[in-house]
Amino acid sequence: MPPALGGPVGYTPPEGGWGWAVVVGAFISIGFSYAFPKSITVFFKEIEVIFTATPSQVSWISSIMLAVMYAGGATPSQVSWISSIMLAVMYAG
């Protein structure tokens, strides 16, 4: 990536200029992973009818999906503290 125009002469960003690409990628990743469980709520009425379930029982679907998503971050966090970030990323995906 070429250096930014108008910046300090001879200055190279510490991440090599890819900082905004990482920000955009993280925004998209977090947005999609949180939006998917919430988008299933449009089917709640059909799920209630098909499985003869109450609204409180059906609401557990997105709650459990989000809880599993966020609880899955605890293990890689501990792995990164014990060894390295690279090992945590390989382990957690």
Side-chain angles (χ1 to χ4, degrees):
M1 185 173 245
L5 297 175
V9 178
Y11 175 75
T12 303
E15 77 282 344
W18 288 95
W20 286 110
V22 172
V23 169
V24 169
F27 180 79
I28 291 171
S29 173
I30 292 170
F32 284 150
S33 65
Y34 189 74
F36 178 73
K38 291 296 182 183
S39 67
I40 290 181
T41 59
V42 298
F43 300 111
F44 276 9
K45 289 295 181 188
E46 288 81 6
I47 292 171
E48 288 177 23
V49 171
I50 292 170
F51 293 104
T52 60
T54 64
S56 64
Q57 290 172 327
V58 175
S59 68
W60 278 98
I61 296 170
S62 61
S63 299
I64 290 172
M65 288 176 70
L66 289 172
V68 167
M69 180 180 71
Y70 288 124
T75 303
S77 172
Q78 294 304 314
V79 169
S80 69
W81 274 95
I82 293 170
S83 59
S84 69
I85 298 291
M86 188 185 338
L87 184 62
V89 168
M90 289 189 307
Y91 173 73

